[in-house]
Amino acid sequence: MDRIRMSLRVCQIRLRKTFTTPRFYVALLWIAILFHVMTAGIRGFCEQTGVDVTFWMLPFMTRYNGDQIIIVLGALLLFCDAPFLEPNSGWQILRVGRKSWFWGNMLYIVVVSFFYTICLSMIPVLLVFPNVGWETGWGKVISTLAQTNAAYTFDQEPLDYLIISRFSPQEAMGLTMLAIWCLSVMTGVVSYAGNFLVHRGFGIVINCGIALTALLLSKFSSITIGYYCAPPLWMNIASYKWQGYGNGPSIAYVYSVFAIVIGACTILSYLGIRKKDLNFVEEI
């Protein structure tokens, strides 16, 4: 219990610092600017027709490669300083122990990724407010913009009809948020492992490469290969193989890969923190 309490304390200290410094809010500002452009057509349609849009907008915000790259880079901004070693880290490690310090950092990555995901789901709602209404279905606005050419009137591409035809709003929101959360956690642990085990900055380079896989693989290889090899593409649930339809990966494949990468980076980092000499850790 003491070890769990100390890990929670380490996580709490990191969270307090995160929410009282600009980095978290800068990452959200990037996303807000991106989503402001993407929701322009929805806002215009709502204002012209007087019909409110439902809350289920996030699955349509992760459709394009550029959107996916920005979301990953936003997560990278949050974790670019992993393994979160500061001038007083040596004393903190001595007080709580290496294991508690490590698991506190891992918990921090999971919790911050969760808050990041929740904020991303709320930003589109705030951007179209007050033209927002509650409905358990997709609603008239999303259905119309996905099934007709009305979006072109507002200089916007139609919303992806595959999403509303394959998924309920709750399924679409849940799967999209889960993908963003897992991808953010993966970004954090890859940064942690790369920066800690290899060299500071190596994790950032790896994550930038992961962020660009969506664009590079879609441009220079078969789209089917891209679906299986580019984690950012998994935020677009229209690419999933769902109930036998689609050319993309299955949900089982997507989350198996997430689990393997997150688990491997966590284990390697854990072994590293146990073996590295404390004086060496302080010098990183």
Side-chain angles (χ1 to χ4, degrees):
M1 289 301 294
D2 287 341
R3 188 168 290 177
I4 294 175
R5 186 166 58 251
M6 287 186 289
S7 296
L8 291 173
R9 178 60 177 166
V10 171
C11 177
Q12 182 183 17
I13 292 171
R14 290 296 317 167
L15 288 172
R16 185 184 301 123
K17 181 174 181 180
T18 295
F19 294 131
T20 55
T21 53
R23 185 180 299 171
F24 183 79
Y25 305 101
V26 170
L28 295 183
L29 180 61
W30 286 0
I31 305 301
I33 293 172
L34 172 69
F35 285 1
H36 183 269
V37 176
M38 299 181 65
T39 56
I42 296 175
R43 287 195 306 273
F45 186 86
C46 291
E47 291 169 359
Q48 187 175 94
T49 62
V51 179
D52 290 339
V53 66
T54 53
F55 284 81
W56 323 112
M57 289 176 280
L58 182 64
F60 305 97
M61 303 290 111
T62 58
R63 175 181 178 183
Y64 298 107
N65 296 153
D67 313 330
Q68 297 156 359
I69 291 171
I70 294 297
I71 291 173
V72 175
L73 292 181
L76 178 57
L77 180 63
L78 300 178
F79 304 122
C80 61
D81 60 339
F84 317 120
L85 288 164
E86 299 171 348
N88 65 342
S89 293
W91 292 108
Q92 190 179 59
I93 293 170
L94 285 173
R95 292 165 71 181
V96 305
R98 299 182 185 186
K99 294 179 181 179
S100 297
W101 181 79
F102 171 79
W103 289 117
N105 284 332
M106 291 296 107
L107 179 60
Y108 163 77
I109 290 174
V110 172
V111 173
V112 170
S113 297
F114 178 76
F115 278 111
Y116 180 64
T117 303
I118 294 296
C119 289
L120 261 60
S121 70
M122 294 304 299
I123 287 174
V125 177
L126 296 175
L127 290 173
V128 300
F129 188 83
N131 301 304
V132 182
W134 173 257
E135 188 175 334
T136 56
W138 285 111
K140 294 180 180 179
V141 174
I142 291 177
S143 297
T144 300
L145 293 177
Q147 299 181 70
T148 71
N149 293 326
Y152 290 118
T153 306
F154 304 95
D155 297 322
Q156 179 177 315
E157 291 287 327
L159 302 181
D160 198 330
Y161 177 71
L162 284 177
I163 293 176
I164 69 171
S165 64
R166 293 180 180 178
F167 304 95
S168 70
Q170 295 77 20
E171 288 173 337
M173 282 291 290
L175 289 172
T176 303
M177 292 177 68
L178 184 58
I180 294 173
W181 187 17
C182 289
L183 188 57
S184 299
V185 172
M186 188 181 82
T187 300
V189 296
V190 168
S191 288
Y192 197 103
N195 291 346
F196 183 65
L197 299 175
V198 183
H199 191 273
R200 183 173 291 277
F202 185 76
I204 297 174
V205 173
I206 295 299
N207 275 312
C208 287
I210 291 173
L212 292 173
T213 54
L215 179 62
L216 296 177
L217 288 173
S218 62
K219 295 294 184 183
F220 300 108
S221 73
S222 142
I223 190 64
T224 302
I225 295 176
Y227 284 150
Y228 282 88
C229 302
L233 288 175
W234 301 339
M235 289 185 284
N236 177 18
I237 61 172
S239 66
Y240 290 179
K241 181 177 292 183
W242 184 256
Q243 296 179 348
Y245 296 97
N247 297 318
S250 66
I251 291 178
Y253 174 87
V254 167
Y255 292 101
S256 295
V257 174
F258 277 140
I260 290 170
V261 175
I262 292 171
C265 289
T266 301
I267 291 171
L268 290 173
S269 298
Y270 179 72
L271 294 176
I273 192 63
R274 291 184 62 189
K275 292 181 179 180
K276 284 184 181 294
D277 183 76
L278 183 59
N279 293 326
F280 176 79
V281 171
E282 291 179 326
E283 293 173 0
I284 293 180

